Every structure is written in C-alpha cells, then in structure tokens.
Amino acid sequence: MPLTDKFGRPITDLRLSITDRCNYKCVYCRTGNEGALYGDLPFEDYLRMARVLVGLGIQKVRLTGGEPLLRKGVVEFVQELEKLNPQNSDPLDLALTTNGHLLADLAQPLKDAGLNRVTVSMDAVDPDRFARITRVPGGYEHMLAGIRAARRAGLWPLKVNCVLMRGFNEDQIIPFGMFAREEGVIVRFIEFMPLEEDRTWSPTTVVTLDEILARMSEYRPLVEIPHARSETARRYRFDDGIGEIGIIAPVSHPFCGHCSRIRITSDGKIRTCLFSVWDHDLYGQMQRGASDEELAEFIRGVVMKKEARHHIGEPDFVPASRTMVHIGG
Ligand code: SAM
C-alpha cells in the first residue's frame, strides 16, 4: 500500500536535511547569530530512514540543510542512496539543494555517485547584491563556478532558486530572465515565506507571482508550460523558446492540495509540513530499538497527521516551530 495521507495525497517525495549548519546567512533565512541548533546524525542513520521510506513508496529524495555540502562524506552517502530500490522499480530520483559555494569541486563526484539533479540558491545576478543578501563576502564567484561545474557534470535539469524579498532584490527579476537564457538554467522565483529567523516577514515583503509575471513580461512575453499536479512551480518559457523560468508561489497561490512531500530534519524528526507546529521523533524510535517494520508503522501513522494546508497570512496563522534552516527547505 503506497504511503498516503488522510486526504488521499500520495507521499512520494522526501526532503532529507543532513545538517542545520550553514556557511551563508541569507537575510530571508538566518539571523547570522546561530549555527547548528539541533545537530546532525551519522549517515548510516539517515540511510536507514531513507531505506524504510523508499520501501513505503518514496520515489524522490532531495538532500538539503542547512548547507548539505558542509557534511564530509556526502558523496559516499549519495552512493549508498543510489542503491535503494523504489517500489515502482524506476531508479530513485536523487536531488540536492545547495548554496553552491562548495559545488565546483563536488559536482562531478556527486554525479558519478548517482546524483541526478541539483538546485542552487542564488538571489541576485550581481556580486555586491549577492553579498548583501547572503551576508558573506566573495561568495558570488564560488556559487557561479558551482553552477557551471554542475552543468558540465550533467546534473540536469539545473535549477536556480531565487527568493524575492521586497527591498532587497525585486529589481533582479529581469536580470534573472536574462541569466536563465544566457546560462541555460531554469530560474525559479520563490515567494518569501514566514520561516526566517529575523522575523521580518509581512505580507508587504512578498513579491507575488502576479508581480513577477508582470515585470518579466516587460522584458519578453512568456508562455505557460503545463506542469504536473504535484510540482510546486508554475513554469513558463520565453516566447522565442529560449529560457525557462518557474514561480513557486506558496503565499499567493498555495499548492497544499497537491503536496506530496515529507521532511526529515537533521536530528531525525519527521515534519509533515513546512509550517508544522510539532514534529515526530523518528530517530527516537530508532534509539528505542524499533525494527524496520515498526519504523514503517510509525511513519504511516505520522503521515496520517499531515496538515491539510498552511495558514500563511490568515488571522489564525501560528508560526512554525522551527525556522527554514533547521527544517530543511
Ligand atoms: N543551503 C541550501 C541552499 O541555500 O539552497 C539548502 C537549504 S535552504 C534552507 C533551501 C531553500 O530554502 C533555498 O532555496 C532557500 O532560498 C529557501 N528559503 C530559505 N528561507 C526561505 C524563506 N523564508 N522563504 C522562502 N524560501 C526560503
């Protein structure tokens, strides 16, 4: 029986955080004051969790963090994940989200180990602005080298995620359209969500899907591309067929009804929604000596508690019990 929640949503997509440390301090994410709060686990523990979840119907595993490339041994971990066999007998779809800072040297080894795809976070097409957002000087060249190395290694499709935050980078929309066309990458704009440590979010800081589309259309007309129901991004290509962009609009156009995701934090807790106000201690079950069958039963029970939707911007909104860096985006 595939993993399904009580609303009938099939759960096929695992986001696995392998550290909550990060070498960047992006304004929409970390305060810069705190590093790891929860710590991380040996890879063999994550591997066991992933194996049980793949046995339950997970088809995609995305490694995230914190910054996942800070973990020594990540290449060998990918090699082990690659050996897992999903129920549908297609190979496991293995992806990684990274800030790209350490990617230049790791792209080819990760590809050789079995990684299929990578998403690089990049919030400005300009070194100075990039440094203002990440609060780390000199990162732009490393990140760009990482993107180019990933493309050379065949980590494809290559996506670039840009969180737009009013007052910081909303003027970067058209430069990113040009970047997508020139570099042959898919640029995805993400609406800013209230998951940051600085607690600066308000509805007015969000640059919405409608605004992004209007601005980009001043540069070149866009044509919408049909997207899969469970895909988070609405997809568009430019009218001449060169360059693709995506918009992930959880605030203005929520897609919770099609959510297929489950998350495991770096300390081994299951989170059923980015905006969960509690988590479920999978690692605790392992420490108590649970068998794989018992872990599977625990996971099925947790998935049944998956939230119907988030409540961003509503009067009853309660902030998530962890910020993004400690969940794994
Ligand atoms: N360190 C990696 C990176 O930079 O991609 C992986 C972890 S990061 C938390 C994962 C993704 O979450 C990034 O694409 C980042 O831009 C996004 N993110 C972080 N905080 C966010 C927020 N408040 N709203 C929307 N997206 C956010």
Side-chain angles (χ1 to χ4, degrees), residues 45 47 108-109 128 153 167 224 285 287:
D45 291 325
L47 188 62
Q108 190 63 55
D128 292 338
E224 187 156 8
Q285 297 290 319
Q287 283 178 306

Side-chain angles (χ1 to χ4, degrees), residues 4 18 91 105 142 160 195 215:
T4 308
I18 57 174
D105 290 340
H142 289 282
V160 164
L195 286 165
R215 188 86 186 97

Side-chain angles (χ1 to χ4, degrees), residues 21-24 26 28-30 63-68 97-100 119-123 161-163 190-196 201 324-325 328-329:
R21 280 183 296 135
C22 192
N23 47 347
Y24 280 8
C26 300
Y28 54 80
C29 189
R30 294 186 54 212
L63 301 184
T64 182
E67 173 46 44
T97 302
T98 171
N99 60 30
T119 299
V120 179
S121 300
M122 170 182 179
D123 302 300
N161 275 357
C162 166
V163 177
I190 308 179
E191 288 179 349
F192 177 36
M193 292 180 276
L195 286 165
E196 78 293 8
W201 188 93
M324 186 70 115
V325 66

